Amino acid sequence: MTAIRLLLVDDDPLVRAGLSFMMGGADDIEIVGEAADGSEVPALVDRTHPDVVLMDIRMPNVDGLTATEELRARKDAPQVVVLTTFHADDQVLRALRAGAAGFVLKDTPPTEILAAVRRVAAGDPVLSPTVTRQLMAHAAKSALDTRRSGARTRIAALNDREREVAVAVGQGRANAEIATELFMSIATVKTHVSRVLAKLDLNNRVQIALLTYDAGLLEEDGH
C-alpha cells in the first residue's frame, strides 16, 4: 500500500512536533516536510509532492487561508485540511470556499485527525454534521440575496441530472447512496460529480455543497 504523503504547516514548533510524532507513527502516512509559515508552502510542495497538507490558519506572515487559496489554484494541487482552534468562523468558511477539503480542531483526538487525513486522501471531505450546520448558519447571515442570485446563475449551467446529483452531494450523500436514490450506477454518479465540478469550476464536494446551499436548493428539498 502506498503511504499518504503529508506536509505539516504550523507556526508552533511544539504543535508540529506533536503532529509529526502522532502522524509519523502510522504505517500508511509519511511526513514529507514541515513548514512554520504559509510562505514556505509553495517551495515545499514543489519539492516534496504531498498528497495532503495539514494547514494551520493563523500564522504570522502568510496565513493558512492565503496559502490554501494559492495552493488550490494550482493544477494537480494536494488536498488541504485546515487545522484550527475554533468551530465556525468567516475564516474557516473562506478556507472551504478556497478549496480546502475540510477542517479539524487542534483538540481533536489523534485517531480522528489520522482518520481525517485518510479520508481526504481518499477524496472524501471532512466536515461533521454539527460543524456543517454551524458553517451554513454562519454563511446565511451575510449577503444572502447576492450569494443566492450568483449561485443560481452558476447552477443554471447544469442539466437536470447533474443538478439532482449536486443537490444529493449537498445533502451529504455518499456516491453509493446517490446511486441508489437516483437509480444509477456508482460509476455514473462519479461521472456526474466530475462534470458538476468541471462546469462550476469547483475543487471538491464541499464546494458543491456550499453552492447548492447558497442557491437555496437544499431548502427547496426540505433540508
Side-chain angles (χ1 to χ4, degrees):
M1 179 177 62
T2 303
I4 299 166
R5 298 174 62 81
L6 179 66
L7 174 63
L8 303 176
V9 185
D10 196 295
D11 64 326
D12 188 332
L14 291 178
V15 172
R16 290 201 312 277
L19 288 170
S20 182
F21 176 78
M22 176 183 67
M23 310 295 277
D27 294 336
D28 59 339
I29 293 179
E30 177 187 1
I31 307 297
V32 296
E34 297 181 18
D37 190 77
S39 61
E40 303 170 21
V41 171
L44 266 176
V45 168
D46 287 341
R47 188 165 71 249
T48 63
H49 305 290
D51 300 306
V52 178
V53 178
L54 193 56
M55 180 92 72
D56 186 21
I57 283 187
R58 293 177 176 173
M59 291 180 286
N61 297 312
V62 176
D63 63 35
L65 299 173
T66 301
T68 296
E69 289 173 339
E70 293 177 351
L71 188 57
R72 290 299 299 169
R74 292 181 168 203
K75 183 179 180 181
D76 299 324
Q79 297 293 339
V80 176
V81 178
V82 171
L83 192 63
T84 181
T85 56
F86 43 85
H87 282 267
D89 185 277
D90 276 332
Q91 292 181 321
V92 175
L93 189 61
R94 177 182 156 194
L96 294 176
R97 291 189 187 282
F103 73 91
V104 293
L105 301 175
K106 288 189 176 181
D107 60 0
T108 298
T111 54
E112 292 184 23
I113 296 180
L114 283 168
V117 169
R118 290 173 179 135
R119 282 187 59 188
V120 167
D124 295 324
V126 179
L127 284 175
S128 71
T130 299
V131 167
T132 300
R133 285 194 296 270
Q134 289 176 318
L135 285 172
M136 294 308 188
H138 189 76
K141 294 178 182 177
S142 60
L144 177 60
D145 290 342
T146 300
R147 284 204 324 276
R148 177 151 298 183
S149 175
R152 289 193 169 188
T153 298
R154 294 179 68 186
I155 290 289
L158 304 179
N159 62 36
D160 290 343
R161 206 57 165 163
E162 291 163 350
R163 177 183 167 121
E164 288 178 329
V165 170
V167 169
V169 169
Q171 293 167 349
R173 303 277 198 273
N175 286 341
E177 294 175 306
I178 297 173
T180 299
E181 185 176 307
L182 299 181
F183 305 102
M184 61 177 70
S185 69
I186 293 177
T188 301
V189 173
K190 291 180 179 179
T191 297
H192 281 308
V193 170
S194 296
R195 287 175 178 167
V196 170
L197 291 170
K199 282 188 175 183
L200 301 181
D201 193 25
L202 300 175
N203 283 300
N204 54 40
R205 295 168 77 100
V206 174
Q207 290 186 322
I208 294 177
L210 288 168
L211 190 64
T212 57
Y213 178 84
D214 284 349
L217 300 184
L218 304 188
E219 295 172 11
E220 292 171 4
D221 280 63
H223 287 74

